[in-house]
mmCIF file of all heavy atoms in Angstrom:
data_model
loop_
_atom_site.group_PDB
_atom_site.id
_atom_site.type_symbol
_atom_site.label_atom_id
_atom_site.label_comp_id
_atom_site.label_asym_id
_atom_site.label_seq_id
_atom_site.Cartn_x
_atom_site.Cartn_y
_atom_site.Cartn_z
ATOM 1 N N GLY A 38 82.060 119.113 88.061
ATOM 2 C CA GLY A 38 82.232 120.258 88.940
ATOM 3 C C GLY A 38 82.235 119.916 90.411
ATOM 4 O O GLY A 38 82.118 120.807 91.262
ATOM 5 N N ILE A 39 82.363 118.636 90.760
ATOM 6 C CA ILE A 39 82.380 118.202 92.160
ATOM 7 C C ILE A 39 83.818 118.188 92.660
ATOM 8 O O ILE A 39 84.681 117.528 92.063
ATOM 9 C CB ILE A 39 81.746 116.810 92.307
ATOM 10 C CG1 ILE A 39 80.259 116.871 91.929
ATOM 11 C CG2 ILE A 39 81.928 116.272 93.723
ATOM 12 C CD1 ILE A 39 79.581 115.517 91.899
ATOM 13 N N ARG A 40 84.062 118.913 93.745
ATOM 14 C CA ARG A 40 85.426 118.973 94.297
ATOM 15 C C ARG A 40 85.583 117.924 95.390
ATOM 16 O O ARG A 40 84.833 117.896 96.360
ATOM 17 C CB ARG A 40 85.743 120.349 94.863
ATOM 18 C CG ARG A 40 87.212 120.468 95.339
ATOM 19 C CD ARG A 40 87.522 121.856 95.833
ATOM 20 N NE ARG A 40 87.440 122.848 94.781
ATOM 21 C CZ ARG A 40 88.414 123.083 93.888
ATOM 22 N NH1 ARG A 40 89.527 122.377 93.921
ATOM 23 N NH2 ARG A 40 88.260 124.011 92.977
ATOM 24 N N ILE A 41 86.593 117.079 95.228
ATOM 25 C CA ILE A 41 86.917 116.029 96.187
ATOM 26 C C ILE A 41 88.227 116.394 96.875
ATOM 27 O O ILE A 41 89.208 116.760 96.202
ATOM 28 C CB ILE A 41 87.061 114.656 95.497
ATOM 29 C CG1 ILE A 41 85.781 114.306 94.726
ATOM 30 C CG2 ILE A 41 87.380 113.569 96.509
ATOM 31 C CD1 ILE A 41 85.910 113.067 93.871
ATOM 32 N N VAL A 42 88.254 116.320 98.192
ATOM 33 C CA VAL A 42 89.460 116.592 98.976
ATOM 34 C C VAL A 42 89.796 115.345 99.775
ATOM 35 O O VAL A 42 88.905 114.728 100.382
ATOM 36 C CB VAL A 42 89.252 117.795 99.923
ATOM 37 C CG1 VAL A 42 90.501 118.023 100.772
ATOM 38 C CG2 VAL A 42 88.914 119.046 99.121
ATOM 39 N N ALA A 43 91.062 114.956 99.777
ATOM 40 C CA ALA A 43 91.476 113.728 100.458
ATOM 41 C C ALA A 43 92.596 114.003 101.443
ATOM 42 O O ALA A 43 93.505 114.801 101.171
ATOM 43 C CB ALA A 43 91.932 112.689 99.446
ATOM 44 N N LEU A 44 92.522 113.343 102.603
ATOM 45 C CA LEU A 44 93.630 113.292 103.557
ATOM 46 C C LEU A 44 93.724 111.843 103.999
ATOM 47 O O LEU A 44 92.984 111.389 104.867
ATOM 48 C CB LEU A 44 93.383 114.213 104.753
ATOM 49 C CG LEU A 44 94.508 114.250 105.792
ATOM 50 C CD1 LEU A 44 95.791 114.789 105.173
ATOM 51 C CD2 LEU A 44 94.115 115.092 106.995
ATOM 52 N N GLY A 45 94.639 111.105 103.361
ATOM 53 C CA GLY A 45 94.731 109.679 103.607
ATOM 54 C C GLY A 45 95.760 109.315 104.653
ATOM 55 O O GLY A 45 96.536 110.142 105.126
ATOM 56 N N GLY A 46 95.774 108.035 105.025
ATOM 57 C CA GLY A 46 96.744 107.538 105.977
ATOM 58 C C GLY A 46 96.339 107.783 107.421
ATOM 59 O O GLY A 46 95.209 108.156 107.724
ATOM 60 N N THR A 47 97.294 107.577 108.318
ATOM 61 C CA THR A 47 97.081 107.770 109.750
ATOM 62 C C THR A 47 98.066 108.801 110.275
ATOM 63 O O THR A 47 99.111 109.041 109.666
ATOM 64 C CB THR A 47 97.268 106.451 110.521
ATOM 65 O OG1 THR A 47 98.596 105.947 110.266
ATOM 66 C CG2 THR A 47 96.254 105.409 110.077
ATOM 67 N N MET A 48 97.732 109.399 111.404
ATOM 68 C CA MET A 48 98.572 110.449 111.964
ATOM 69 C C MET A 48 99.947 109.917 112.340
ATOM 70 O O MET A 48 100.090 108.882 112.977
ATOM 71 C CB MET A 48 97.907 111.046 113.201
ATOM 72 C CG MET A 48 98.781 111.991 114.001
ATOM 73 S SD MET A 48 99.254 113.467 113.100
ATOM 74 C CE MET A 48 97.764 114.437 113.283
ATOM 75 N N GLY A 49 100.989 110.637 111.904
ATOM 76 C CA GLY A 49 102.365 110.273 112.225
ATOM 77 C C GLY A 49 103.284 111.326 111.693
ATOM 78 O O GLY A 49 103.292 111.602 110.487
ATOM 79 N N GLU A 50 104.058 111.959 112.556
ATOM 80 C CA GLU A 50 104.893 113.087 112.142
ATOM 81 C C GLU A 50 106.038 112.631 111.265
ATOM 82 O O GLU A 50 107.096 112.234 111.714
ATOM 83 C CB GLU A 50 105.441 113.827 113.368
ATOM 84 C CG GLU A 50 104.382 114.544 114.167
ATOM 85 C CD GLU A 50 103.839 115.759 113.421
ATOM 86 O OE1 GLU A 50 104.522 116.250 112.510
ATOM 87 O OE2 GLU A 50 102.739 116.203 113.762
ATOM 88 N N ALA A 51 105.851 112.733 109.963
ATOM 89 C CA ALA A 51 106.897 112.312 109.032
ATOM 90 C C ALA A 51 108.060 113.283 109.013
ATOM 91 O O ALA A 51 109.187 112.922 108.747
ATOM 92 C CB ALA A 51 106.312 112.188 107.617
ATOM 93 N N GLU A 52 107.776 114.606 109.321
ATOM 94 C CA GLU A 52 108.843 115.595 109.200
ATOM 95 C C GLU A 52 109.979 115.357 110.184
ATOM 96 O O GLU A 52 111.102 115.751 109.959
ATOM 97 C CB GLU A 52 108.284 117.011 109.429
ATOM 98 C CG GLU A 52 107.285 117.443 108.401
ATOM 99 C CD GLU A 52 105.891 117.406 108.990
ATOM 100 O OE1 GLU A 52 105.517 116.391 109.579
ATOM 101 O OE2 GLU A 52 105.187 118.420 108.858
ATOM 102 N N GLY A 53 109.695 114.689 111.288
ATOM 103 C CA GLY A 53 110.688 114.552 112.336
ATOM 104 C C GLY A 53 111.613 113.370 112.162
ATOM 105 O O GLY A 53 112.444 113.104 113.010
ATOM 106 N N ARG A 54 111.506 112.648 111.067
ATOM 107 C CA ARG A 54 112.344 111.452 110.903
ATOM 108 C C ARG A 54 113.780 111.857 110.583
ATOM 109 O O ARG A 54 114.053 112.889 109.981
ATOM 110 C CB ARG A 54 111.778 110.591 109.776
ATOM 111 C CG ARG A 54 110.375 110.077 110.098
ATOM 112 C CD ARG A 54 109.861 109.179 109.014
ATOM 113 N NE ARG A 54 108.519 108.697 109.343
ATOM 114 C CZ ARG A 54 107.831 107.862 108.596
ATOM 115 N NH1 ARG A 54 108.351 107.398 107.482
ATOM 116 N NH2 ARG A 54 106.617 107.491 108.960
ATOM 117 N N SER A 55 114.710 110.972 110.961
ATOM 118 C CA SER A 55 116.120 111.290 110.772
ATOM 119 C C SER A 55 116.494 111.334 109.293
ATOM 120 O O SER A 55 117.378 112.073 108.892
ATOM 121 C CB SER A 55 116.994 110.246 111.485
ATOM 122 O OG SER A 55 116.673 108.937 111.017
ATOM 123 N N LYS A 56 115.817 110.530 108.457
ATOM 124 C CA LYS A 56 116.061 110.553 107.024
ATOM 125 C C LYS A 56 114.790 111.020 106.327
ATOM 126 O O LYS A 56 113.880 110.222 106.086
ATOM 127 C CB LYS A 56 116.461 109.166 106.510
ATOM 128 C CG LYS A 56 117.809 108.694 107.038
ATOM 129 C CD LYS A 56 118.174 107.364 106.439
ATOM 130 C CE LYS A 56 119.533 106.895 106.940
ATOM 131 N NZ LYS A 56 119.911 105.592 106.364
ATOM 132 N N PRO A 57 114.711 112.300 106.046
ATOM 133 C CA PRO A 57 113.481 112.818 105.456
ATOM 134 C C PRO A 57 113.143 112.105 104.160
ATOM 135 O O PRO A 57 114.014 111.810 103.342
ATOM 136 C CB PRO A 57 113.816 114.300 105.211
ATOM 137 C CG PRO A 57 114.922 114.619 106.151
ATOM 138 C CD PRO A 57 115.720 113.364 106.258
ATOM 139 N N GLU A 58 111.839 111.847 103.988
ATOM 140 C CA GLU A 58 111.393 111.179 102.777
ATOM 141 C C GLU A 58 111.419 112.151 101.608
ATOM 142 O O GLU A 58 111.189 113.342 101.756
ATOM 143 C CB GLU A 58 109.962 110.664 102.970
ATOM 144 C CG GLU A 58 109.834 109.655 104.092
ATOM 145 C CD GLU A 58 108.385 109.396 104.410
ATOM 146 O OE1 GLU A 58 107.614 110.364 104.473
ATOM 147 O OE2 GLU A 58 108.031 108.232 104.595
ATOM 148 N N SER A 59 111.684 111.637 100.430
ATOM 149 C CA SER A 59 111.587 112.480 99.247
ATOM 150 C C SER A 59 110.128 112.754 98.967
ATOM 151 O O SER A 59 109.239 112.045 99.436
ATOM 152 C CB SER A 59 112.222 111.768 98.042
ATOM 153 O OG SER A 59 111.439 110.634 97.685
ATOM 154 N N ASN A 60 109.863 113.781 98.189
ATOM 155 C CA ASN A 60 108.472 114.110 97.869
ATOM 156 C C ASN A 60 107.788 112.942 97.174
ATOM 157 O O ASN A 60 106.628 112.671 97.388
ATOM 158 C CB ASN A 60 108.418 115.352 96.983
ATOM 159 C CG ASN A 60 108.821 116.602 97.753
ATOM 160 O OD1 ASN A 60 108.701 116.637 98.959
ATOM 161 N ND2 ASN A 60 109.306 117.608 97.041
ATOM 162 N N ALA A 61 108.532 112.253 96.319
ATOM 163 C CA ALA A 61 107.932 111.163 95.549
ATOM 164 C C ALA A 61 107.540 110.004 96.448
ATOM 165 O O ALA A 61 106.439 109.493 96.381
ATOM 166 C CB ALA A 61 108.900 110.690 94.463
#
């Protein structure tokens, strides 16, 4: 019953890239 929340990596606006990454 323990809820774990994760936010990994470092800050970097991925949405603004010219070739958007796929979800996968």
Side-chain angles (χ1 to χ4, degrees):
I39 295 174
R40 185 177 295 279
I41 303 172
V42 178
L44 181 63
T47 58
M48 171 64 80
E50 292 289 340
E52 296 106 310
R54 297 183 180 182
S55 56
K56 293 183 179 180
E58 299 169 317
S59 68
N60 290 335

